[in-house]
Amino acid sequence: MTTVICPYCFERSQAARLPYRCLMSRTGLRGGTPCDPERDDLWAGFTGGTAAPSAYMRGPVFPAPRTMPWSRGGGRAECPRCGVASPVRVCAGCHSDLPSDYCSQDSRIIALIGAKASGKSTYVSVLVNELRHRVGQSYGASLAAMGDETQRRDREMAEDLYERLRLPGTTRPAATGFNDPLLYRLSLPRQGRDGSRHTALVFFDAAGEDLKSAEALNRYTQYLSAADGIVLLVDPLQMGAVRDALPGDGGPPMPSRETPALQIASDVATQLRSHGKGGSRGRVDTPLAVAVTKTDTLRGLLDPHSPLLRNTPHAGGRFDEVDRLAVHEETRSLLEGWDSGALWRQLERDYSTVSLFGLSALGSPPPSDAPADAPPSGPQPVRVEDPLLWLLGRRGLIPVAKPPREGTGGTAA
Ligand SMILES: Nc1nc2c(ncn2[C@@H]2O[C@H](COP(=O)(O)OP(=O)(O)OP(=O)(O)O)[C@@H](O)[C@H]2O)c(=O)[nH]1
Ligand SMILES: [Mg+2]
Ligand SMILES: [Zn+2]
Ligand SMILES: [Zn+2]
């Protein structure tokens, strides 16, 4: 049975039970009259009702028939009023239309959080590109954008960053607009069997400021509590120790001070605990990947042999646990030297399953004379895929090469 989590309100339901929306079509009528649009109060309420009244006049919603003739109907059901078969599924909780291919696979929600300008939008754009190319090739995976809206934004993101070499602009906060999730279908070969296994991945590229406003944080919390895993991006240039260690002149331009990662991590843990995600000793059970971004700026502070400076080859199409632990230890020793190690202590206190990562989406800083541009050679990412692959590996979705003996590393991960 396929379980679908609505990517808009995060209600969980069985795919077969999702209601339908009538197409109001004049073709295929069986003697009756076509349905008229009617005001969708549930959906209007969910979206805040800020659009023009005509936007809320939609095809009537009707429940899924009790016995679904999947094989015959191809996922369509006949509207009880006009008799025309419709393929459009909606969420029962919020009446948002769901892309048709979203409903035929289990959903995995990977939540992405991080302070303003920590690099979330750049990361998503580069991650998607890597999953399609280098990483996709190693694992035999493919990634497809689902639904018109994600397809449009997916194209725009790729054109901006990879063709025009423009960095993403600052993301609009949810309070002033509706930030839709990005919906992808990740297809991976079934381990030890023929065929592939499809998983819907839901990313929300929220604005950094959203973590500050209570209303936006509420929606965020629903997203976080539905998540199978959370990726927290940490901008090293926000750490006092890093700012002091990097050269003032000729070094990367310093961003203005934003909400500390430590505070985001602890606020999120508080919210998740209040949603029943607290496990033993009050630590949150949701796996948390903490990734230090922009590691290209740290080159001068790292050993030339640091695992953070190169990609892992994903030999044999497996995620290498030994390599992950090396990255975790290296990042942990960095964090312990920054701001008295407060972030790592807070993470250990709040989360039962944490793994640390370091990544660079761009591979080198934006040109100093054109800070809104990507480096002239385009993004040359380092380790952007690791946090997601770790989370997928934990769920058994990709093969993992385990260390010879378990129990090394001493992390909770
Ligand atoms: N050196 C370096 N800088 C980066 C990298 N990725 C992002 N940046 C810088 O960080 C800035 C912010 O990146 P965004 O991806 O827009 O960050 P965001 O978290 O989406 O920001 P908001 O949408 O404002 O919350 C970019 O404009 C770049 O200047 C990287 O890999 N290396
Ligand atoms: Mg952004
Ligand atoms: Zn919903
Ligand atoms: Zn109808």
Side-chain angles (χ1 to χ4, degrees):
M1 204 172 331
T2 306
T3 305
V4 170
I5 302 170
C6 170
Y8 304 96
C9 75
F10 309 107
E11 187 167 290
R12 202 175 276 268
S13 49
Q14 287 171 21
R17 298 253 173 89
L18 291 169
Y20 287 79
R21 188 185 292 287
C22 175
L23 293 173
M24 303 182 289
S25 162
R26 276 158 203 284
T27 49
L29 278 177
R30 301 224 178 116
T33 49
C35 284
D36 285 326
E38 54 186 47
R39 187 179 149 86
D40 191 333
D41 286 318
L42 191 66
W43 187 61
F46 176 70
T47 57
T50 46
S54 60
Y56 298 112
M57 301 300 288
R58 313 283 308 272
V61 169
F62 59 91
R66 284 201 176 278
T67 50
M68 191 55 214
W70 281 105
S71 45
R72 274 189 296 123
R76 290 170 178 257
E78 284 175 11
C79 171
R81 261 191 264 176
C82 66
V84 179
S86 168
V88 180
R89 311 304 293 268
V90 302
C91 164
C94 70
H95 278 192
S96 296
D97 290 9
L98 304 172
S100 55
D101 36 3
Y102 187 79
C103 308
S104 53
Q105 48 236 300
D106 287 326
S107 347
R108 293 268 176 252
I109 295 186
I110 306 295
L112 179 64
I113 54 176
K116 191 167 162 53
S118 54
K120 300 178 294 298
S121 301
T122 314
Y123 166 76
V124 170
S125 183
V126 171
L127 176 64
V128 163
N129 189 73
E130 291 296 284
L131 290 176
R132 289 220 170 104
H133 298 104
R134 185 176 58 83
V135 180
Q137 204 168 20
S138 300
Y139 289 87
S142 62
L143 190 78
M146 283 197 279
D148 298 344
E149 181 57 22
T150 299
Q151 283 164 9
R152 184 185 63 74
R153 285 169 58 201
D154 181 71
R155 261 195 314 273
E156 248 174 46
M157 288 192 315
E159 282 166 10
D160 280 349
L161 190 56
Y162 286 89
E163 289 172 29
R164 292 189 204 102
L165 298 179
R166 296 284 297 169
L167 294 178
T170 196
T171 306
R172 243 169 13 142
T176 54
F178 203 75
N179 278 323
D180 278 325
L182 291 160
L183 310 178
Y184 287 94
R185 182 180 56 214
L186 180 69
S187 307
L188 288 155
R190 272 181 203 278
Q191 294 178 36
R193 281 189 278 162
D194 286 346
S196 31
R197 174 170 180 170
H198 306 291
T199 307
L201 289 181
V202 178
F203 298 113
F204 243 105
D205 177 19
E209 298 97 308
D210 282 347
L211 294 161
K212 291 188 194 154
S213 96
E215 190 190 341
L217 188 62
N218 181 43
R219 176 131 179 267
Y220 229 86
T221 306
Q222 282 168 287
Y223 161 58
L224 294 171
S225 52
D228 294 278
I230 299 176
V231 179
L232 166 64
L233 297 187
V234 176
D235 183 352
L237 303 178
Q238 291 293 330
M239 301 282 175
V242 177
R243 292 167 91 99
D244 294 343
L246 291 176
D249 291 329
M254 290 298 161
S256 57
R257 291 286 191 152
E258 304 294 347
T259 316
L262 182 149
Q263 193 186 327
I264 293 178
S266 94
D267 287 355
V268 163
T270 307
Q271 295 279 333
L272 287 176
R273 273 187 216 106
S274 71
H275 276 64
K277 297 281 166 183
S280 68
R281 289 191 283 150
R283 297 199 297 180
V284 170
D285 291 333
T286 312
L288 177 72
V290 177
V292 171
T293 55
K294 314 184 189 179
T295 48
D296 52 275
T297 60
L298 303 177
R299 225 165 257 154
L301 310 178
L302 294 171
D303 183 278
H305 300 293
S306 169
L308 297 187
L309 295 175
R310 51 172 170 79
N311 279 315
T312 170
H314 304 293
R318 286 163 181 268
F319 183 69
D320 185 349
E321 256 312 274
V322 174
D323 176 73
R324 176 188 71 80
L325 287 166
V327 168
H328 174 86
E329 287 305 323
E330 172 86 349
T331 314
R332 188 166 65 100
S333 70
L334 279 178
L335 290 189
E336 283 180 338
W338 295 346
D339 302 355
S340 320
L343 174 58
W344 174 242
R345 278 200 303 283
Q346 185 73 41
L347 292 170
E348 279 198 302
R349 200 175 305 147
D350 281 336
Y351 297 87
S352 59
T353 310
V354 186
S355 188
L356 302 176
F357 298 90
L359 59 89
S360 167
L362 298 175
S364 51
S368 52
D369 56 343
D373 289 357
S377 51
Q380 307 279 338
V382 181
R383 292 194 176 272
V384 282
E385 67 276 21
D386 294 9
L388 176 69
L389 294 182
W390 174 63
L391 293 169
L392 295 177
R394 286 187 57 84
R395 290 280 168 175
L397 291 168
I398 56 163
V400 176
K402 293 261 191 280
R405 250 184 309 139
E406 286 287 74
T408 42
T411 63

